[in-house]
Amino acid sequence: MDTVAKWAAGNSYGPVLSQTDLYLLGTELELHPILANESGSFQLIFNLSTGQSSGYNPESRDRDVAFTQKDEPATLPRVEELIIITECSPWCTIIKNPQGVTLGDVVTFLFKDYSDKMVTDKEFDSLPPRQQEQLRRYAASAGSGGNWQFYSPAPAPPTQYRRADWLREKVFFDRLIKKDHYAKQRLGFAAPNIFVLMLSTY
């Protein structure tokens, strides 16, 4: 008789803990191997700026692999809410799904948080002048697709910046990790469902 795979998609394969249940039980969460970048057969390739997501398999180096695991749970036990922070930006992404947060939810929420939301004037002003200029240049280059045309005047620099622009080149998902001391420093508390997003340039 076949058994259900540990990370099988489907909301009937285990309880979904609310944030209160999770905190009362004090349960540690096991992160899906794809999010921890520990899956030997699939490495997630996800660009927070464009939203493109696929995978890489060392056995199939000649092509990208489709991200078919989107409906699998992000953690075991399954939870209604994950909190994602990163050392590269000041924002906190809260991912919610009453049926249990999935891999697809993580990708969707991170993309929307960094592509749809803008950097506020106050956030921009908090940057040192050098980083403000780097952000301006990066956003102008990203807005033109990186294609400078010699026959037309340079486009006007953007007046608003997406959160993804703040990250500049570091827009690729690398992994999620537990880093309780950083969570306490950033949020004032640590919890089993708080993870730190590590980013890379490729």
Side-chain angles (χ1 to χ4, degrees):
M1 183 171 156
D2 290 339
T3 59
V4 175
K6 181 177 183 176
W7 297 101
N11 52 5
S12 301
Y13 299 143
V16 177
L17 301 181
S18 70
Q19 185 129 327
T20 304
D21 294 337
L22 180 65
Y23 291 0
L24 287 174
L25 292 171
T27 304
E28 286 301 313
L29 296 179
E30 182 181 353
L31 198 59
H32 194 293
I34 288 176
L35 295 179
N37 200 359
E38 294 173 351
S39 171
S41 60
F42 186 92
Q43 179 182 351
L44 179 62
I45 301 170
F46 165 48
N47 184 320
L48 273 73
S49 182
T50 65
Q52 284 185 298
S53 61
S54 63
Y56 170 78
N57 183 336
E59 306 286 320
S60 308
R61 294 177 184 211
D62 57 332
R63 65 186 183 282
D64 285 347
V65 180
F67 183 30
T68 57
Q69 303 90 336
K70 290 180 182 181
D71 294 329
E72 294 180 10
T75 64
L76 284 180
R78 299 159 197 251
V79 292
E80 291 181 355
E81 188 172 307
L82 288 182
I83 300 169
I84 310 291
I85 57 177
T86 180
E87 295 171 313
C88 299
S89 80
W91 302 290
C92 174
T93 302
I94 299 175
I95 303 167
K96 293 183 179 185
N97 183 342
Q99 280 80 45
V101 175
T102 65
L103 299 180
D105 293 329
V106 172
V107 167
T108 301
F109 276 77
L110 283 171
F111 170 63
K112 287 187 178 202
D113 222 24
Y114 280 87
S115 67
D116 293 351
K117 295 184 180 174
M118 298 295 173
V119 175
T120 66
D121 291 340
K122 188 174 181 180
E123 290 165 343
F124 183 78
D125 292 341
S126 73
L127 288 171
R130 182 170 176 246
Q131 286 182 316
Q132 288 181 7
E133 185 55 33
Q134 288 173 339
L135 178 56
R136 275 191 202 98
R137 275 196 231 138
Y138 184 81
S141 144
S144 69
N147 300 321
W148 295 103
Q149 299 175 357
F150 296 104
Y151 57 87
S152 66
T159 55
Q160 280 196 310
Y161 308 100
R162 297 178 315 140
R163 288 181 174 181
D165 296 331
W166 182 288
L167 302 172
R168 295 189 301 273
E169 305 85 23
K170 283 189 133 185
V171 293
F172 284 94
F173 180 97
D174 180 44
R175 69 188 70 215
L176 295 179
I177 63 169
K178 287 293 292 172
K179 208 170 185 181
D180 287 347
H181 67 280
Y182 181 67
K184 286 177 185 171
Q185 177 189 333
R186 275 280 304 273
L187 305 175
F189 72 103
N193 63 335
I194 299 174
F195 292 93
V196 177
L197 169 64
M198 307 304 286
L199 295 165
S200 68
T201 56
Y202 55 87

